[in-house]
Short mmCIF file of all heavy atoms in Angstrom, two decimals:
data_model
loop_
_atom_site.label_atom_id
_atom_site.label_comp_id
_atom_site.label_asym_id
_atom_site.label_seq_id
_atom_site.Cartn_x
_atom_site.Cartn_y
_atom_site.Cartn_z
N PHE A 952 85.52 107.63 111.17
CA PHE A 952 84.75 107.06 110.07
C PHE A 952 85.10 107.75 108.75
O PHE A 952 85.23 107.10 107.71
CB PHE A 952 83.25 107.21 110.37
CG PHE A 952 82.37 106.65 109.29
CD1 PHE A 952 82.30 105.29 109.05
CD2 PHE A 952 81.60 107.50 108.50
CE1 PHE A 952 81.50 104.77 108.05
CE2 PHE A 952 80.79 106.99 107.50
CZ PHE A 952 80.74 105.62 107.28
N LEU A 953 85.26 109.08 108.79
CA LEU A 953 85.58 109.84 107.58
C LEU A 953 86.95 109.46 107.02
O LEU A 953 87.15 109.43 105.81
CB LEU A 953 85.54 111.34 107.85
CG LEU A 953 84.16 111.98 107.92
CD1 LEU A 953 84.27 113.45 108.28
CD2 LEU A 953 83.42 111.83 106.60
N ASN A 954 87.89 109.17 107.92
CA ASN A 954 89.22 108.77 107.45
C ASN A 954 89.16 107.46 106.68
O ASN A 954 89.90 107.26 105.71
CB ASN A 954 90.18 108.65 108.64
CG ASN A 954 90.57 110.00 109.20
OD1 ASN A 954 90.85 110.92 108.45
ND2 ASN A 954 90.57 110.13 110.51
N LEU A 955 88.27 106.57 107.10
CA LEU A 955 88.06 105.33 106.35
C LEU A 955 87.44 105.63 104.99
O LEU A 955 87.77 105.01 103.98
CB LEU A 955 87.17 104.37 107.15
CG LEU A 955 87.73 103.89 108.50
CD1 LEU A 955 86.71 102.99 109.20
CD2 LEU A 955 89.05 103.15 108.30
N ILE A 956 86.52 106.61 104.99
CA ILE A 956 85.90 107.02 103.73
C ILE A 956 86.94 107.63 102.80
O ILE A 956 86.89 107.44 101.57
CB ILE A 956 84.76 108.03 103.99
CG1 ILE A 956 83.59 107.33 104.69
CG2 ILE A 956 84.28 108.67 102.69
CD1 ILE A 956 82.40 108.22 104.98
N PHE A 957 87.90 108.38 103.36
CA PHE A 957 88.95 108.99 102.54
C PHE A 957 89.76 107.92 101.80
O PHE A 957 90.14 108.11 100.65
CB PHE A 957 89.89 109.83 103.41
CG PHE A 957 89.28 111.12 103.87
CD1 PHE A 957 89.67 111.70 105.07
CD2 PHE A 957 88.31 111.76 103.13
CE1 PHE A 957 89.11 112.89 105.51
CE2 PHE A 957 87.72 112.94 103.56
CZ PHE A 957 88.13 113.51 104.75
N TRP A 958 90.01 106.80 102.47
CA TRP A 958 90.73 105.71 101.80
C TRP A 958 89.89 105.14 100.64
O TRP A 958 90.41 104.88 99.56
CB TRP A 958 91.05 104.60 102.79
CG TRP A 958 92.24 104.92 103.64
CD1 TRP A 958 93.27 105.77 103.32
CD2 TRP A 958 92.54 104.40 104.93
NE1 TRP A 958 94.18 105.81 104.34
CE2 TRP A 958 93.78 104.98 105.34
CE3 TRP A 958 91.91 103.50 105.78
CZ2 TRP A 958 94.37 104.68 106.56
CZ3 TRP A 958 92.51 103.20 107.00
CH2 TRP A 958 93.72 103.78 107.39
N ALA A 959 88.60 104.97 100.90
CA ALA A 959 87.72 104.49 99.84
C ALA A 959 87.63 105.53 98.72
O ALA A 959 87.64 105.19 97.53
CB ALA A 959 86.32 104.19 100.40
N ALA A 960 87.55 106.80 99.12
CA ALA A 960 87.46 107.89 98.14
C ALA A 960 88.71 107.94 97.26
O ALA A 960 88.62 108.21 96.06
CB ALA A 960 87.27 109.22 98.85
N ALA A 961 89.87 107.67 97.88
CA ALA A 961 91.12 107.69 97.12
C ALA A 961 91.06 106.66 95.99
O ALA A 961 91.44 106.94 94.85
CB ALA A 961 92.29 107.39 98.05
N GLY A 962 90.57 105.47 96.31
CA GLY A 962 90.45 104.43 95.29
C GLY A 962 89.46 104.80 94.20
O GLY A 962 89.72 104.60 93.02
N ILE A 963 88.33 105.38 94.61
CA ILE A 963 87.29 105.75 93.64
C ILE A 963 87.78 106.87 92.72
O ILE A 963 87.57 106.84 91.50
CB ILE A 963 86.00 106.17 94.36
CG1 ILE A 963 85.40 104.96 95.10
CG2 ILE A 963 84.99 106.74 93.38
CD1 ILE A 963 84.22 105.31 95.97
N LEU A 964 88.43 107.88 93.30
CA LEU A 964 88.92 108.99 92.50
C LEU A 964 89.98 108.53 91.50
O LEU A 964 89.98 108.96 90.34
CB LEU A 964 89.50 110.08 93.41
CG LEU A 964 88.49 110.94 94.16
CD1 LEU A 964 89.20 111.91 95.09
CD2 LEU A 964 87.59 111.70 93.20
N CYS A 965 90.88 107.66 91.94
CA CYS A 965 91.90 107.14 91.02
C CYS A 965 91.23 106.33 89.91
O CYS A 965 91.67 106.37 88.75
CB CYS A 965 92.91 106.28 91.78
SG CYS A 965 94.02 107.25 92.84
N TYR A 966 90.17 105.60 90.25
CA TYR A 966 89.44 104.82 89.24
C TYR A 966 88.79 105.75 88.21
O TYR A 966 88.86 105.50 87.01
CB TYR A 966 88.38 103.95 89.91
CG TYR A 966 87.45 103.28 88.92
CD1 TYR A 966 87.83 102.11 88.27
CD2 TYR A 966 86.20 103.82 88.64
CE1 TYR A 966 87.00 101.50 87.35
CE2 TYR A 966 85.35 103.22 87.72
CZ TYR A 966 85.76 102.06 87.08
OH TYR A 966 84.92 101.47 86.17
N VAL A 967 88.16 106.83 88.72
CA VAL A 967 87.52 107.80 87.81
C VAL A 967 88.55 108.43 86.88
O VAL A 967 88.33 108.55 85.68
CB VAL A 967 86.78 108.89 88.62
CG1 VAL A 967 86.30 110.01 87.69
CG2 VAL A 967 85.59 108.30 89.36
N GLY A 968 89.69 108.83 87.46
CA GLY A 968 90.75 109.42 86.64
C GLY A 968 91.27 108.46 85.59
O GLY A 968 91.47 108.83 84.43
N ALA A 969 91.48 107.19 86.00
CA ALA A 969 91.96 106.18 85.06
C ALA A 969 90.92 105.91 83.97
O ALA A 969 91.26 105.74 82.80
CB ALA A 969 92.29 104.89 85.80
N TYR A 970 89.65 105.92 84.37
CA TYR A 970 88.56 105.71 83.39
C TYR A 970 88.56 106.81 82.34
O TYR A 970 88.38 106.55 81.15
CB TYR A 970 87.22 105.68 84.12
CG TYR A 970 86.02 105.68 83.19
CD1 TYR A 970 85.63 104.53 82.52
CD2 TYR A 970 85.29 106.85 82.96
CE1 TYR A 970 84.55 104.52 81.66
CE2 TYR A 970 84.21 106.86 82.10
CZ TYR A 970 83.84 105.70 81.46
OH TYR A 970 82.78 105.72 80.60
N VAL A 971 88.79 108.06 82.79
CA VAL A 971 88.85 109.18 81.85
C VAL A 971 90.00 108.98 80.86
O VAL A 971 89.84 109.17 79.65
CB VAL A 971 89.01 110.51 82.61
CG1 VAL A 971 89.26 111.66 81.62
CG2 VAL A 971 87.77 110.81 83.44
N PHE A 972 91.18 108.58 81.37
CA PHE A 972 92.33 108.36 80.50
C PHE A 972 92.07 107.26 79.48
O PHE A 972 92.34 107.41 78.30
CB PHE A 972 93.55 107.98 81.35
CG PHE A 972 94.38 109.16 81.77
CD1 PHE A 972 94.34 109.61 83.08
CD2 PHE A 972 95.18 109.83 80.87
CE1 PHE A 972 95.09 110.69 83.48
CE2 PHE A 972 95.93 110.92 81.25
CZ PHE A 972 95.89 111.35 82.56
N ILE A 973 91.53 106.14 79.95
CA ILE A 973 91.28 104.99 79.07
C ILE A 973 90.24 105.33 78.02
O ILE A 973 90.40 105.02 76.83
CB ILE A 973 90.84 103.77 79.90
CG1 ILE A 973 91.98 103.29 80.78
CG2 ILE A 973 90.38 102.63 78.97
CD1 ILE A 973 91.58 102.21 81.77
N THR A 974 89.15 105.98 78.46
CA THR A 974 88.09 106.34 77.52
C THR A 974 88.56 107.38 76.52
O THR A 974 88.27 107.30 75.32
CB THR A 974 86.86 106.87 78.28
OG1 THR A 974 86.47 105.93 79.28
CG2 THR A 974 85.69 107.11 77.32
N TYR A 975 89.33 108.36 77.01
CA TYR A 975 89.85 109.40 76.12
C TYR A 975 90.75 108.79 75.05
O TYR A 975 90.76 109.24 73.90
CB TYR A 975 90.62 110.44 76.93
CG TYR A 975 91.15 111.59 76.09
CD1 TYR A 975 90.37 112.72 75.84
CD2 TYR A 975 92.42 111.54 75.53
CE1 TYR A 975 90.85 113.76 75.07
CE2 TYR A 975 92.91 112.57 74.75
CZ TYR A 975 92.11 113.68 74.53
OH TYR A 975 92.60 114.70 73.75
N ASP A 976 91.50 107.76 75.42
CA ASP A 976 92.42 107.13 74.48
C ASP A 976 91.67 106.54 73.29
O ASP A 976 92.20 106.48 72.18
CB ASP A 976 93.21 106.03 75.20
CG ASP A 976 94.28 105.43 74.32
OD1 ASP A 976 95.15 106.19 73.83
OD2 ASP A 976 94.25 104.21 74.08
N ASP A 977 90.42 106.12 73.52
CA ASP A 977 89.62 105.57 72.43
C ASP A 977 89.10 106.66 71.48
O ASP A 977 88.74 106.36 70.34
CB ASP A 977 88.42 104.79 72.99
CG ASP A 977 88.86 103.57 73.77
OD1 ASP A 977 89.89 102.98 73.41
OD2 ASP A 977 88.17 103.21 74.75
N TYR A 978 89.06 107.89 71.98
CA TYR A 978 88.47 108.97 71.18
C TYR A 978 89.46 110.10 70.88
O TYR A 978 89.07 111.12 70.32
CB TYR A 978 87.26 109.56 71.93
CG TYR A 978 86.16 108.57 72.17
CD1 TYR A 978 86.10 107.82 73.34
CD2 TYR A 978 85.16 108.37 71.21
CE1 TYR A 978 85.09 106.89 73.56
CE2 TYR A 978 84.15 107.45 71.43
CZ TYR A 978 84.12 106.71 72.61
OH TYR A 978 83.12 105.80 72.82
N ASP A 979 90.74 109.92 71.24
CA ASP A 979 91.68 111.03 71.12
C ASP A 979 91.92 111.46 69.67
O ASP A 979 92.31 112.60 69.43
CB ASP A 979 93.01 110.70 71.80
CG ASP A 979 93.71 109.50 71.19
OD1 ASP A 979 93.05 108.79 70.38
OD2 ASP A 979 94.88 109.27 71.50
N HIS A 980 91.67 110.56 68.71
CA HIS A 980 91.84 110.95 67.31
C HIS A 980 90.78 111.95 66.87
O HIS A 980 90.96 112.68 65.89
CB HIS A 980 91.76 109.72 66.40
CG HIS A 980 92.93 108.81 66.54
ND1 HIS A 980 92.95 107.78 67.45
CD2 HIS A 980 94.14 108.79 65.93
CE1 HIS A 980 94.11 107.14 67.36
NE2 HIS A 980 94.85 107.73 66.46
N PHE A 981 89.68 112.00 67.60
CA PHE A 981 88.58 112.87 67.20
C PHE A 981 88.59 114.19 67.97
O PHE A 981 87.78 115.07 67.72
CB PHE A 981 87.24 112.18 67.45
CG PHE A 981 87.12 110.86 66.76
CD1 PHE A 981 87.41 109.68 67.43
CD2 PHE A 981 86.78 110.79 65.42
CE1 PHE A 981 87.32 108.46 66.79
CE2 PHE A 981 86.70 109.58 64.77
CZ PHE A 981 86.97 108.42 65.45
N PHE A 982 89.51 114.30 68.93
CA PHE A 982 89.55 115.51 69.74
C PHE A 982 91.01 115.85 70.02
O PHE A 982 91.68 115.15 70.77
CB PHE A 982 88.78 115.30 71.05
CG PHE A 982 88.53 116.58 71.79
CD1 PHE A 982 87.61 117.51 71.31
CD2 PHE A 982 89.19 116.86 72.97
CE1 PHE A 982 87.38 118.68 71.98
CE2 PHE A 982 88.95 118.04 73.66
CZ PHE A 982 88.05 118.95 73.17
N GLU A 983 91.50 116.95 69.44
CA GLU A 983 92.92 117.25 69.47
C GLU A 983 93.37 118.00 70.73
O GLU A 983 94.56 118.11 70.98
CB GLU A 983 93.29 118.08 68.23
CG GLU A 983 93.07 117.31 66.93
CD GLU A 983 93.31 118.16 65.70
OE1 GLU A 983 93.33 119.40 65.85
OE2 GLU A 983 93.48 117.59 64.61
N ASP A 984 92.45 118.53 71.52
CA ASP A 984 92.82 119.33 72.69
C ASP A 984 93.19 118.41 73.86
O ASP A 984 92.33 117.94 74.59
CB ASP A 984 91.64 120.24 73.08
CG ASP A 984 92.03 121.24 74.16
OD1 ASP A 984 93.21 121.22 74.58
OD2 ASP A 984 91.18 122.03 74.57
N VAL A 985 94.50 118.18 74.05
CA VAL A 985 94.95 117.29 75.13
C VAL A 985 94.71 117.90 76.50
O VAL A 985 94.77 117.19 77.52
CB VAL A 985 96.45 116.97 74.98
CG1 VAL A 985 96.70 116.18 73.71
CG2 VAL A 985 97.29 118.24 74.98
N TYR A 986 94.46 119.21 76.57
CA TYR A 986 94.23 119.85 77.85
C TYR A 986 92.94 119.37 78.51
O TYR A 986 92.71 119.63 79.69
CB TYR A 986 94.19 121.38 77.68
CG TYR A 986 95.52 121.94 77.23
CD1 TYR A 986 95.69 122.40 75.93
CD2 TYR A 986 96.60 121.99 78.10
CE1 TYR A 986 96.91 122.90 75.51
CE2 TYR A 986 97.83 122.48 77.68
CZ TYR A 986 97.98 122.95 76.40
OH TYR A 986 99.20 123.43 75.98
#
């Protein structure tokens, strides 16, 4: 069951990471620290 959850988790984590990138792109002019 957990291995199935890991597949779902993989999709969710990639979505969260992509969301951070997309959202940051809208505000990157206001925050210069790319780290």
Side-chain angles (χ1 to χ4, degrees):
F952 180 68
L953 282 177
N954 287 316
L955 298 178
I956 292 181
F957 287 151
W958 281 336
I963 294 173
L964 285 176
C965 288
Y966 172 81
V967 171
Y970 171 77
V971 172
F972 270 106
I973 293 172
T974 307
Y975 182 88
D976 186 58
D977 295 328
Y978 299 92
D979 61 348
H980 291 90
F981 304 96
F982 192 71
E983 297 175 342
D984 189 0
V985 295
Y986 295 107

